[in-house]
Each structure stands twice: as C-alpha cells, then as structure tokens.
Amino acid sequence: MTLVTGLRRLTRRGVRLLRADDPETGWLIRIVISALLVWALLYLTPADAVVRAVLVASLAGWFLFVAADVRWPRLARAGLALATLLPAAVAGVPENASAPLFLYAALFTFVLLPRTPMWAILVLTGTVIAVLLTGFWLAGRGTTAMLTQPTLVIILVLFNLHRREYRLRAEQTALLLEQTSRTQQAQARAAALDERARIARELHDVLAHSLGALGVQLEVAEAQLTEKGDVPAAAARIRRARRLAVDGLVEARSAVAALRADVPPLSRALGDLVAGHRADHTTTVTLRTEGSPRGLPSGAEVSLLRTAREALTNAARHAPGAPVAVVLDYRGPTVRLTVHNPAPPRPVGDGAGGYGLTGARERIALVGGTLEAGVVDGAWRVTAEVPA
C-alpha cells in the first residue's frame, strides 16, 4: 500500500465519521470545545488563584463528560453539570472572560444532549441562575450585570430546548418513516409471495387437469388402435385429445397473463372475450355492465374471466347458435357475473372439453366467492359472485 492510497483511505474514513457524527454534540464539536476551553484557561483567565482552580476543576468535569459519556452516561452528565456550575460561581469576578465561556459551552451541551431528562435541565438552569446571582452579589456587581447574565442563560436554555425538541421530532419522524417503509416492503413481499403461490396453484391445476385428461384420451386411442383396430373410435379420441390440448393451452395462457403488469380491467377483458366468442361462433353475444366499474384483486378478476369463458364454451357446445347474454354487475357489496342462454336439452356438466363448472366453482371459492349454475325461467344461467 502506497502512502497516497493510505491517505485516501484515511480521508474517506474521516469523511464517513464526520457524516455520521452529531453536528451539535458529536465528537468534532467536543474536540473543538475542549481546545477552546484549554485556550481560554491559558490566555483569558485572570491571575487569581481561586478563579484558576475553579476553572481547572470545571475543565476536569468537562473532560470527565467527554471520556465517560459512552459507557457511564450518568457520571458523564454529573461531570458536565459540575463543569457548568463551577464557572457560574466565579463569573462575577471582574475581567474574567473565560468563566462565561466555560459556563455557556457546558450548559449548551447539557441541554442539547438528547437523553438528558427535562427535570435535570430545569434543575441545573435554576441552580446556575442562583449561583450566578450569588456570585455577582458577592463581587459587588451592579443591577445591570445581575440581570443580564441570568437573562442570557434563560435565552440560551430556551433556544437550545427548542432546537432539541426539533431534533427529537425529526428523529422520531425519520424512525417512523423507516418503520413504515419496512412495513410496506414486508406487505409487498407478502403480497408478491401470495400472488406467486396463487399463480403456481393455477398453473399446476391447469397443467395437471389438461395433461392428465390428454394422457387418458391418448391411452384409450392407442388401445383402440392396437387391440381393437377401431380406427374411427381412435380418431374420435384423438380429436377429443386435441380439443383438450387447445383448451389447456388457453387456460395456461390465461394463468400466465395474471403475472403481467398490463392485464386489462375485468370489463375490458370481458369485452374482448365476448367479441372473440362472437367472431368464432357467429352467434349473438351481448355484454352489459351495471354500476361503476372498480378494481378487484387479480385472483378474483381471473376467476370471473375464466367462469365467463367456461360458460360461453358450454353455451356454444350445448346450445350452438343461441343468443347469449353476459351481465357484469358492480352494484352492491359484491361483483356479480351472470351468463345465461336458452336451456340446453341436457344439463351442462363437466365434460372432457375443459375445466368445467366444477373447476370454475372451486376457483371462485378460493377467492371467497360463490358460483351457481342451473335452469332459471327456461334459461341456463351461470351466476358467480366475488367480494368487491
């Protein structure tokens, strides 16, 4: 390591220490005050032996505070209080400029310390004023001096108390902001984990159902070809397997879409679904939205969208060409999706062509909703509700 590199590292470390230090009562301020008090003791103190002895004792109290503040805070504050009271006793001596400097430096630090109790500040201030007045009276100083110094002490204490209160509030605000930020991060992380778990569950359900059913159909087709030689039946099984693959791919894409940041709102997604169904099946499909659209959790929106897709698929399969009406109702405490069409000649069940209403009902239940399906007033109606 070269000398220049060492100096750079030392400089950077010193800059970091200065930035982390308290700008009002930190180590840098204490070093400056210590140097100032030593200089005042050497060059500003009168030759009076008593005054010098008192200020030396005050300086000793100051250094006791500096040395013991970290490990023994009570002892340190006692030393600082002593460093404040002793110069107040000799402040009335004429031509003694160092005593007020000792007094104000120690009192300034005592009041600004964030852990100093308020009662200790008030007791020390009152004692300092009493000692000042007594010293000025014994020294025979005039009324002006006896009023000026206590007034300056009171002004200094009030100013420092205001500054201390401002700093404490700023620290509490910073702490509160930090706690709020941590809480928000924890909530965001929990929401992300919950969303990932939901998407993983949906992908697993889609793939397990689709691939499982696809495997069964292919296995039956293979048996019909190899064991029975029934080509038409095997071809029918293969066509059914192909429909399963297509439906599974659609469901998988829908589940993956939940991970995207630009998933459209439910009303617009339903509009796209209705338009696509209308174009694919050349049938009349209407969509009506009642109430004011509002945001829903992504899980609820995806579940409603899949329910609508399943209901439209069943309508096209069991009542081809018949008109279908889709109603999305935002009124009330829940959001309701209704899909109805003329009743098919047989109940709509969970055939091999996709998830089926049972799967849709399970998905709606996972988000705290309900799903009902059946014939109402001569029409097949699927009604799903989720909490708003």
Side-chain angles (χ1 to χ4, degrees):
M1 180 188 300
T2 63
L3 179 60
V4 176
T5 304
L7 289 176
R8 287 178 179 176
R9 290 185 179 180
L10 184 61
T11 302
R12 286 196 297 267
R13 184 174 301 177
V15 170
R16 286 197 298 268
L17 289 175
L18 288 177
R19 289 179 177 177
D21 195 22
D22 190 330
E24 295 178 351
T25 61
W27 285 103
L28 180 61
I29 295 297
R30 296 180 187 185
I31 292 173
V32 172
I33 292 178
S34 299
L36 185 61
L37 294 182
V38 172
W39 174 81
L41 182 63
L42 294 177
Y43 298 102
L44 297 181
T45 305
D48 190 300
V50 176
V51 174
R52 282 188 171 273
V54 170
L55 294 184
V56 167
S58 174
L59 186 61
W62 169 263
F63 282 123
L64 175 62
F65 158 73
V66 173
D69 185 41
V70 177
R71 299 187 61 182
W72 302 288
R74 292 185 178 180
L75 179 62
R77 279 159 182 73
L80 190 58
L82 182 65
T84 305
L85 289 173
L86 289 176
V90 295
V93 177
E95 299 180 358
N96 184 10
S98 57
L101 182 60
F102 274 72
L103 168 62
Y104 293 131
L107 185 59
F108 172 87
T109 306
F110 190 89
V111 176
L112 278 183
L113 287 176
R115 298 183 302 274
T116 304
M118 181 61 66
W119 66 265
I121 295 175
L122 296 179
V123 169
L124 179 63
T125 302
T127 307
V128 166
I129 293 175
V131 172
L132 270 175
L133 292 176
T134 302
F136 274 69
W137 178 72
L138 292 176
R141 304 292 294 271
T143 305
T144 302
M146 294 182 65
L147 293 178
T148 301
Q149 290 297 331
T151 302
L152 290 177
V153 169
I154 293 174
I155 292 175
L156 174 67
V157 170
L158 291 177
F159 174 80
N160 287 348
L161 284 176
H162 176 75
R163 178 62 185 170
R164 165 192 158 115
E165 186 67 19
Y166 172 79
R167 292 183 60 199
L168 290 177
R169 289 184 179 180
E171 291 175 0
Q172 291 174 355
T173 302
L175 181 60
L176 180 61
L177 289 175
E178 182 180 359
Q179 293 175 347
T180 303
S181 176
R182 290 180 179 177
T183 302
Q184 291 175 346
Q185 291 176 1
Q187 291 175 346
R189 178 176 176 79
L193 292 177
D194 182 68
E195 185 72 4
R196 290 178 183 179
R198 184 186 66 81
I199 296 300
R201 182 178 61 246
E202 293 195 359
L203 285 175
H204 173 269
D205 292 345
V206 169
L207 294 179
H209 183 277
S210 300
L211 294 180
L214 181 62
V216 171
Q217 297 300 321
L218 292 177
E219 184 178 355
V220 173
E222 181 183 9
Q224 289 175 335
L225 285 175
T226 57
E227 298 177 7
K228 299 180 180 180
D230 190 350
V231 176
R237 292 287 181 176
I238 292 176
R239 286 193 294 271
R240 199 168 184 181
R242 186 178 56 133
R243 289 198 303 271
L244 278 172
V246 172
D247 290 343
L249 180 61
V250 171
E251 293 291 337
R253 286 176 176 173
S254 177
V256 172
L259 291 173
R260 297 173 54 194
D262 57 347
V263 175
L266 178 59
S267 57
R268 193 170 70 188
L270 277 177
D272 295 340
L273 177 64
V274 166
H277 186 85
R278 187 186 299 120
D280 293 339
H281 298 277
T282 317
T283 186
T284 301
V285 185
T286 60
L287 172 63
R288 187 172 76 253
T289 301
E290 298 180 350
S292 300
R294 56 183 182 271
L296 293 175
S298 59
E301 291 190 348
V302 171
S303 298
L304 288 178
L305 188 61
R306 290 187 179 181
T307 300
R309 181 185 293 114
E310 180 65 26
L312 291 174
T313 300
N314 286 338
R317 181 180 299 124
H318 300 286
V324 183
V326 181
V327 180
L328 183 61
D329 190 356
Y330 284 99
R331 299 173 300 180
T334 62
V335 175
R336 175 184 301 175
L337 172 70
T338 305
V339 181
H340 59 89
N341 56 277
R346 61 184 179 87
V348 180
D350 295 338
Y355 247 87
L357 293 177
T358 299
R361 185 176 290 108
E362 291 174 353
R363 293 187 177 280
I364 292 294
L366 287 175
V367 295
T370 60
L371 186 145
E372 297 179 357
V375 178
V376 179
D377 297 332
W380 180 262
R381 179 172 299 175
V382 177
T383 303
E385 292 187 13
V386 296

